[in-house]
Amino acid sequence: PLAAANAALPWPDQPHLLLWQALTTLREHRGDGHLASLLQHELLGLPALVLTAAAGTTSAEWLQRARGWSPEEWAAAGDALTDRGLVSGEELTAEGRAVRAAVEDDTDRLAQGPWAALGDAGCDRLAELLGPVRHAIVAIGDWPAHNPIGVPEPA
C-alpha cells in the first residue's frame, strides 16, 4: 500500500527529487512485503522489534529508544515471545531463528519484482551510482552500525 501510494504521486522533474521518490517507492515496496510476512507470523509492532534485537542485527537499546518503547513494554513483548518459544532471555531460540529466517526469506521473495525488472546490469549500475551517496552518508559518522535499514559495507 505505501509503495502503491508513492508510485501514484506525480513524479518530480528535478533529478534528485525523482531519485528520492523512486528509492522511497522501492523501499516501501520491500517494507510492504516485510509487513505482510510479519503479519503472517503474528509479529507486528513491538514483538517484531524485540525479535530483531534478539537476532543481534540491531541494538535493543537503540531500537527501544528510537521507537519510544518503555522498558516495561519491551520486557512484556520479550515475555510474550518467550511464551511463544521464540526467544530465551535476550537470544533467539531455534524456533525463533526459523521464524526470523522465514520472515526474511518471504520479504526477499516479495521484494524481487522491481529488481528482476531492473536486471543484473541495471542493479549493478544503480549500486555504482549510489555508492558515493552511501559513502558520504556513512562518512558523516552519525549512522548506527546496526540499524533496521541494514546498510552494509559494500563488498
Side-chain angles (χ1 to χ4, degrees), residues 5-19:
N6 275 283
L9 292 170
W11 289 87
D13 292 327
Q14 302 92 333
H16 67 291
L17 296 178
L18 179 63
L19 176 62

